[in-house]
Each structure stands twice: as C-alpha cells, then as structure tokens.
Amino acid sequence: MSSAINPTSSGMERDARRMHEDDKPLSPGSVAIGVVIGRTSEFFDFFVYGLGSILVFPKLIFPFAPNPVVATLMSFALFPLAFLARPIGSFVFMWIDRNYGRGTKLTTALVILGGSTASIAFLPGYDTIGYWAVALLALFRLGQGFALGGAWDGLASLLNLSAPESRRGWYAMIPQLGAPIGFALASVLFGYFVSTLSQEDFISWGWRYPFLVAFAINVVALFARLRIVASKEFGAAMEAQELQARPVFEMLSKHSTDVVLGAFVPLASFAMFHLVTIFPLSWVTLTGGQSAAQFLWVQVAGAALGAVGIVLSGLLADRIGRRNQLMAGAILIAIFSFSAPFLLDAGGKGQDAFILIGFFILGLSFGQSSGAVSSRFSQPYRYTGAALTSDLAWLVGAGFAPLVALGLASSFGIIFIGGYLISGAICTIAALTLTRALDRN
C-alpha cells in the first residue's frame, strides 16, 4: 500500500535525513552517547521495578501473605511477566517498523515504557482496592516488557557497523554500560528515600518518586535516539538493508538454529545478572547482615566496578576475540559460583565481597554478551534476528532468576544458588563450542 494511502513516518524520516545531508557526518562518539542514553533509560525502568519488587510490593501489594518470604516470592512471581511479553512486543513493533517507520515505532514504544513505569507510581495498595492492586501491577509489568520489545532501535548495530575491524570488542561493550548506569541511578534514588524516610512514609509515598523519574528519563532518551535515526548514516544503513525489520517468521524460517544458539551463548552473564542486582537485596532484607539502605550503597559501588569490568571486556575482546572473552567470562562465573553462597551467608562483609567481586566478573562477561553470534545471521535478517535472540536470552537467562534463586535458597539453602550459576555457565560454554563447530563446517 502506498504511503499516500497508508501514512507512515518513513517519508518524514527520509526528509529529516535529507536535512542532515549538508551536516558533518555523525561520529561514532555521537552514536555511542545515544546508545548509552537509550540503554540506560531501559535498564533504569526495569531496575526501578526490580528494587520495588523487594522494598515495596511485598508490603504494599501482598500484605496478605503469611510471611515476608512468601510475600517476596509472590512479588517475584510477577517479575518475569515483562520478559514473557517482550518477544510479543518485538513481533508487534517489527510490524509497526515496516509499515510506519522506525521513528513511530520508537516513540510509541518509549511512551508505553515510560508510561507503564510511571503509572506504577500511582498504584493503590491491596488495603485500598484488594486484588485489583495485584492485577494492575501485573498489567503495568506486562506493559514494560511489551514496550521494551519495541525499543530495539538498531543503534548498537549501527555503532558496530562503524567500528574498525580491530575495535569490534570495544564498540560492542559500549551499549552494555547502560546496565550499571541504570542500576546505579535506580539504587541511588531508592537508597536516598530508604535512608531518609521512616518506613511508614517510604511505603506511603517515598517509593513513588523513582517511578515518576522514569518517564522523564525516557523522554530524554527518545530525543537522543530519534536524532540518530534521522541521520544520513542511519538512512544509508537502512537502504543497504543492514537495519531493516523483516517479518519474524520469515527470519525464523532461515535462522531458527542461530536464534536458539544466540539465546544460550550469553546465559552465564544473564543468569548472574539478577543474582548480583535483585536477588541479594532480597536475601539481605529477609535474613539480615546489614540494612537495605547500607546494602544499596554497596550495590552502587558494585555497579561502578561492573562498569570497569565492561570497559576491560572491550579491551580484552579486541586482543583475544569476543567468543574467547565470553568463554573466559563463563569460566570465571563457574568458579565464582562455588564461593558465592558462602559469601552471601557470611554477614555484612561477606555480602559486600559478593557484590563487589560479582559485579566485576559480571562486567567482564556481560560486556561482550550482546550479539556475539550476530555474524551468523545473513545481512537482511540481522536486525530482526538480533532483536529476537536478545528477547529469548533475557527470558531464559534472567527473567525467572530472582524467583528461582529465592525459592531455592529459602526452601533448600543458599548453597543452591551456586548450582543455578554454574548451570548458566555450562550452557554458555556448550553454546559457544557448538557455534565454533558449526562455523568450521
């Protein structure tokens, strides 16, 4: 159907690019800044929810639970909903991308993402509206995941395309910096309100402010990303079919094996992701060792070390190769899995060590986990294939981690989280070994 009959933003995007034709070329540095801002906003939304699922929702939404552990497990039961909705969002927003343009897709997705997160700030508690509070929280969580499926903008791929062959590892780590930055921002906000307000005031109104901030951050991220989408470099990549959205089922008919392998390659870092961010705060809150306020500041320090690890992963990957870097990261996570349970159960100093060491190891692995096998996708399907692979990797590796970890630890003992970590490391090592074997054939 022609654009005259079916109005799209694609024409407007081409006009915007023509306006940029006389401008100096968009530098990789400008793309990098846009990518980091975009990823920071996405991770901030998810981490604000994750911290709220420990510090707020068990008391506000699940006060009917028989004890705090069960209340937190009920809260964590809603946590995976976003990861289940994310592939559906990718499917729907790929269609919007093809028919109405990348600008319309991003604007719609980020408004829904920010709106879903900000709406949680106005959520009444169970004592006010009963089980409707649970239903609304579940709805807003689904909205977060659905929108995140549409936030896949292709900017990380554009950054990779502009990278020299010898610096691919360095450029690959840049988008990953959004995770520790987003987590640190969310932790600082929650840490401030937890440490300065009484428990009653925090549960009544203090926790709502971090959720409201999310909408403002998403607006800033939207403009940063749209500026790059309107650039002539992005337009050239679109014309060359480097960043075009293709139908999901058409891509799967040609690359289903690559999607499955790609989803399992980063499993070690994704399994560890919520075991150093969300789960340990729940364990400390429930079992003691130190206050939640103190532990949040330790996690901010851990996020800084995680960022250092991500940067180092870029330097190392350019020396030894991205797959070798991922293999080394998986081995480090496997080794860490033997000491992790004992550190968490060793009081305040042990918990601090768990966070600081864990975040650094996570950074070394997570820094290269994005699109490590994207080269296996043929050019027309790389954008769609990378998006769906990422969705499935987060679902399998991270979506259920807090629920499973707390369930295992509370029912069978903290030692079982070590088994959870090492299973992720084994999956990563096996997937990397298989991709190498397939590449040789």
Side-chain angles (χ1 to χ4, degrees), residues 113-413:
L113 179 59
S116 297
T117 307
S119 294
I120 297 174
F122 301 98
L123 187 66
Y126 175 84
D127 292 339
T128 304
I129 59 172
Y131 287 107
W132 282 108
V134 181
L136 286 173
L137 181 60
L139 177 65
F140 296 143
R141 183 59 171 164
L142 286 168
Q144 281 189 316
F146 178 79
L148 192 62
W152 190 267
D153 49 25
L155 298 187
S157 297
L158 181 64
L159 187 62
N160 190 55
L161 290 170
S162 65
E165 188 70 31
S166 61
R167 300 293 305 279
R168 289 288 169 86
W170 177 262
Y171 281 84
M173 71 82 186
I174 291 175
Q176 308 301 80
L177 288 170
I181 296 173
F183 179 73
L185 288 174
S187 297
V188 166
L189 279 173
F190 268 102
Y192 171 77
F193 286 109
V194 168
S195 60
T196 58
L197 297 177
S198 66
Q199 179 69 8
E200 182 181 10
D201 285 342
F202 176 74
I203 295 298
S204 175
W205 56 268
W207 68 272
R208 301 179 188 274
Y209 284 94
F211 285 87
L212 289 171
V213 169
F215 193 84
I217 291 178
N218 274 279
V219 170
V220 173
L222 174 62
F223 282 105
R225 294 157 93 167
L226 289 180
R227 175 179 175 272
I228 300 173
V229 168
S231 69
K232 60 185 179 183
E233 288 83 2
F234 194 94
M238 288 286 287
E239 294 297 329
Q241 295 190 341
E242 290 281 2
L243 299 178
Q244 283 195 358
R246 302 296 292 246
V248 172
F249 290 115
E250 179 185 328
M251 181 276 296
L252 286 174
S253 69
K254 300 178 183 298
H255 290 287
S256 57
T257 301
D258 299 318
V259 169
V260 173
L261 285 175
F264 278 91
V265 162
L267 218 60
S269 59
F270 283 12
M272 192 165 176
F273 191 84
H274 285 138
L275 293 190
V276 297
T277 54
I278 303 304
F279 167 72
L281 179 61
S282 70
W283 187 252
V284 168
T285 302
L286 292 169
T287 64
Q290 56 188 301
S291 69
Q294 290 175 314
F295 196 68
L296 281 168
W297 298 119
V298 174
Q299 288 194 295
V300 172
L305 282 176
V308 172
I310 289 173
V311 172
L312 286 177
S313 80
L315 296 172
L316 290 171
D318 286 332
R319 288 181 175 271
I320 65 175
R322 293 184 65 191
R323 292 186 185 180
N324 289 333
Q325 171 68 22
L326 277 171
M327 185 74 78
I331 293 171
L332 284 174
I333 290 173
I335 295 171
F336 180 70
S337 69
F338 290 101
S339 61
F342 301 102
L343 290 174
L344 266 181
D345 210 28
K349 290 185 179 179
Q351 292 162 355
D352 293 351
F354 171 87
I355 291 299
L356 298 178
I357 297 170
F359 258 107
F360 183 70
I361 293 174
L362 174 65
L364 289 173
S365 179
F366 183 69
Q368 298 300 313
S369 65
S370 177
V373 294
S374 60
S375 60
R376 292 186 54 81
F377 292 98
S378 57
Q379 182 174 303
Y381 298 103
R382 191 165 295 168
Y383 172 82
T384 304
L388 188 60
T389 299
S390 178
D391 293 345
L392 295 178
W394 281 109
L395 173 61
V396 175
F400 293 89
L403 178 64
V404 172
L406 183 57
L408 289 173
S410 60
S411 299
F412 305 105

Side-chain angles (χ1 to χ4, degrees), residues 12-206:
M12 290 185 287
E13 288 171 7
R14 286 192 293 270
D15 291 341
R17 290 178 194 125
R18 280 194 288 269
M19 292 173 63
H20 282 74
E21 287 296 325
D22 295 329
D23 295 345
K24 61 181 181 180
L26 192 67
S27 68
S30 297
V31 179
I33 292 172
V35 169
V36 172
I37 291 174
R39 296 299 178 269
T40 297
S41 71
E42 294 167 7
F43 280 110
F44 179 82
D45 282 53
F46 268 56
F47 280 128
V48 163
Y49 182 93
L51 296 177
S53 68
I54 302 162
L55 301 172
V56 181
F57 305 145
K59 300 180 182 70
L60 185 75
I61 308 298
F62 303 99
F64 54 85
N67 57 63
V69 172
V70 174
T72 305
L73 286 170
M74 287 180 174
S75 180
F76 281 166
L78 299 185
F79 188 85
L81 292 179
F83 298 91
L84 291 168
R86 184 171 171 174
I88 299 171
S90 289
F91 183 86
V92 172
F93 281 103
M94 287 291 177
W95 179 86
I96 293 175
D97 193 335
R98 294 193 305 274
N99 289 277
Y100 295 95
R102 188 70 43 90
T104 298
K105 171 195 169 184
L106 284 177
T107 303
T108 305
L110 290 184
V111 167
I112 294 174
L113 179 59
S116 297
T117 307
S119 294
I120 297 174
F122 301 98
L123 187 66
Y126 175 84
D127 292 339
T128 304
I129 59 172
Y131 287 107
W132 282 108
V134 181
L136 286 173
L137 181 60
L139 177 65
F140 296 143
R141 183 59 171 164
L142 286 168
Q144 281 189 316
F146 178 79
L148 192 62
W152 190 267
D153 49 25
L155 298 187
S157 297
L158 181 64
L159 187 62
N160 190 55
L161 290 170
S162 65
E165 188 70 31
S166 61
R167 300 293 305 279
R168 289 288 169 86
W170 177 262
Y171 281 84
M173 71 82 186
I174 291 175
Q176 308 301 80
L177 288 170
I181 296 173
F183 179 73
L185 288 174
S187 297
V188 166
L189 279 173
F190 268 102
Y192 171 77
F193 286 109
V194 168
S195 60
T196 58
L197 297 177
S198 66
Q199 179 69 8
E200 182 181 10
D201 285 342
F202 176 74
I203 295 298
S204 175
W205 56 268

